Amino acid sequence: RSEFTADYGRLFTGLDDNSVISAGFVAFAQPISRKKSLDERIRDLRRITAIESQVEASTAAPSTPDAAKPEKKKEEITFFRDWGTLGMAFNNLTLSGAVSENTFWFSYSRKIVDKISSGMSVKLLYQSYTQDIYTQKDPVFNLGAKGDLLKFSFDAGLLYNLYPRIFWGLMITDVNRPNVALNSADSELLPIGTASGLAFKDRKIRAGVDAVYRDKDYRINAGAERWFRNRTYALRAGGSLGSREYKNVSYGMSVNWGNFQIDYAFVFPVSGVRETFGSHRMSLLYRFGKAPVDEMEAGSIELYYSKLQTEAEMLRARLEKAEDERSRLEKVLIEEALS
């Protein structure tokens, strides 16, 4: 379902030079689907009925050498055709009085085959620098004549549902390697980045581990969260390590009221950046519409109501199929009587 999120972070608070580093992010995701037509639903029901008949016939047959073959999996009836998901996002990273980095994302993803999904993003990269007496003498900034940069880049990703509740992901960033040198006479190609990881996703427990590699630097991240009281609040913890003495630990919590959720995280660098009080991040999330079945609490009235709605749709589709068959048979009988 549609989601909107926004977060703000104060990074590395308490630096001795009083620098203020902040990060902001907003995003919106919109699934695209349409309701299937009557003809499409009737064709789905006929195909599924035929598959079920084959399964029943194979189980009723006497044992043969082929009896050890696995039974055909029954398909689920869906009344909507999925056309994927569109997403838009904006990220800002600012060092006060020095530099501002902005990234705009335009993304699309969809399921390719069963259990495998893919997506890509077009990114607009924009950097701006505050001009001072140093940049006016620096050839990198073209002696003060160049204070900003605008480039396009592309990302691609793949998601595979290995087993129930277990997912594997792969992402490649900045595939086209844009030149991000401020001076047009220089060449500074943005390096390609790769990331891959595993995740466990359950209603109450979620955990993940991933590895990120870019320009000879690597990072390994891991974390987990636990939801309590019918997904009212959650606690989480994680950690990261990587090259150039990169190490940190993080703690956080979430509070959820229906479609509205607030998250907070505290990240503390164990090594690398020193003399800091850590980073603080807070985010807001809003989900539109009703929760899908996989987000509902087992045994809840909402889950039973959703199942009843699905059964009603199935009965309605079967009734429409029967009416279609009756109309066809009536035509055949009338034609035979006339002949």
Side-chain angles (χ1 to χ4, degrees):
R1 49 183 174 155
S2 305
E3 288 189 8
F4 171 81
T5 184
D7 77 50
Y8 175 78
R10 285 290 303 272
L11 312 182
F12 306 112
T13 57
L15 293 173
D16 55 10
D17 62 353
N18 297 322
S19 298
V20 177
I21 306 175
S22 61
F25 179 79
V26 292
F28 179 75
Q30 174 63 51
I32 307 172
S33 62
R34 70 168 180 84
K35 192 170 184 178
K36 290 183 179 179
S37 65
L38 174 60
D39 293 339
E40 289 175 316
R41 285 183 284 171
I42 290 175
R43 284 197 297 269
D44 289 345
L45 282 169
R46 286 175 177 168
R47 187 184 72 255
I48 293 171
T49 302
I51 294 174
E52 290 176 348
S53 300
Q54 292 177 8
V55 173
E56 292 173 359
S58 64
T59 55
S63 59
T64 61
D66 296 333
K69 293 182 179 180
E71 298 179 0
K72 293 183 179 180
K73 184 180 178 181
K74 295 183 179 180
E75 297 185 29
E76 294 183 358
I77 299 176
T78 59
F79 296 94
F80 292 89
R81 185 174 296 280
D82 182 17
W83 285 352
T85 301
L86 287 174
M88 294 183 295
F90 168 72
N91 185 78
N92 170 265
L93 179 64
T94 301
L95 172 59
S96 59
V99 62
S100 176
E101 295 184 356
N102 301 281
T103 306
F104 300 86
W105 281 273
F106 302 93
S107 307
Y108 174 75
S109 66
R110 68 166 300 164
K111 182 181 290 186
I112 304 175
V113 294
D114 188 33
K115 296 185 178 182
I116 298 179
S117 302
S118 181
M120 69 170 296
S121 295
V122 178
K123 295 190 301 186
L124 178 64
L125 309 175
Y126 178 73
Q127 294 180 345
S128 61
Y129 299 86
T130 302
Q131 298 290 352
D132 54 27
I133 59 175
Y134 299 103
T135 59
Q136 293 173 3
K137 298 179 180 179
D138 194 335
V140 172
F141 296 89
N142 199 10
L143 302 179
K146 184 70 172 179
D148 57 9
L149 176 72
L150 181 64
K151 294 291 180 178
F152 284 94
S153 186
F154 302 93
D155 299 342
L158 190 72
L159 185 65
Y160 178 43
N161 186 191
L162 282 168
Y163 300 101
R165 299 188 295 276
I166 297 179
F167 298 83
W168 170 78
L170 173 68
M171 182 174 65
I172 302 176
T173 60
D174 303 307
V175 179
N176 58 321
R177 301 197 65 191
N179 183 11
V180 293
L182 283 173
N183 195 324
S184 57
D186 298 334
S187 177
E188 185 182 347
L189 300 181
L190 199 62
I192 294 177
T194 58
S196 182
L198 285 169
F200 174 84
K201 179 182 177 182
D202 193 78
R203 177 166 175 78
K204 294 183 178 181
I205 299 176
R206 296 186 180 187
V209 58
D210 62 48
V212 181
Y213 180 82
R214 183 187 183 113
D215 195 23
K216 298 181 181 180
D217 283 334
Y218 72 90
R219 290 183 182 181
I220 299 175
N221 315 294
E225 69 179 17
R226 174 68 160 85
W227 284 88
F228 302 89
R229 291 188 176 274
N230 194 17
R231 290 184 62 85
T232 302
Y233 68 93
L235 300 176
R236 66 177 57 88
S240 302
L241 59 89
S243 55
R244 294 194 287 181
E245 298 185 359
Y246 178 82
K247 292 180 183 177
N248 67 40
V249 293
S250 60
Y251 309 93
M253 63 176 297
S254 296
V255 181
N256 183 43
W257 297 280
N259 291 353
F260 188 75
Q261 182 175 317
I262 297 178
D263 307 301
Y264 168 77
F266 171 71
V267 184
F268 186 78
V270 178
S271 62
V273 180
R274 303 185 184 278
E275 304 299 330
T276 175
F277 301 138
S279 302
H280 303 265
R281 302 190 73 114
M282 179 167 285
S283 66
L284 307 176
L285 175 68
Y286 185 81
R287 304 178 180 91
F288 298 85
K290 296 180 180 179
V293 175
D294 59 353
E295 290 185 16
M296 296 180 184
E297 182 72 14
S300 65
I301 296 177
E302 291 80 9
L303 180 60
Y304 284 118
Y305 180 69
S306 176
K307 290 182 177 180
L308 287 174
Q309 282 185 315
T310 303
E311 291 176 3
E313 287 285 345
M314 291 178 63
L315 291 173
R316 189 177 296 110
R318 291 184 184 275
L319 178 61
E320 291 169 347
K321 175 188 174 184
E323 289 291 335
D324 180 66
E325 294 288 345
R326 184 183 65 81
S327 300
R328 186 179 63 82
L329 289 173
E330 282 183 352
K331 291 179 181 180
V332 171
L333 290 173
I334 289 173
E335 290 174 358
E336 289 181 352
L338 290 175
S339 64

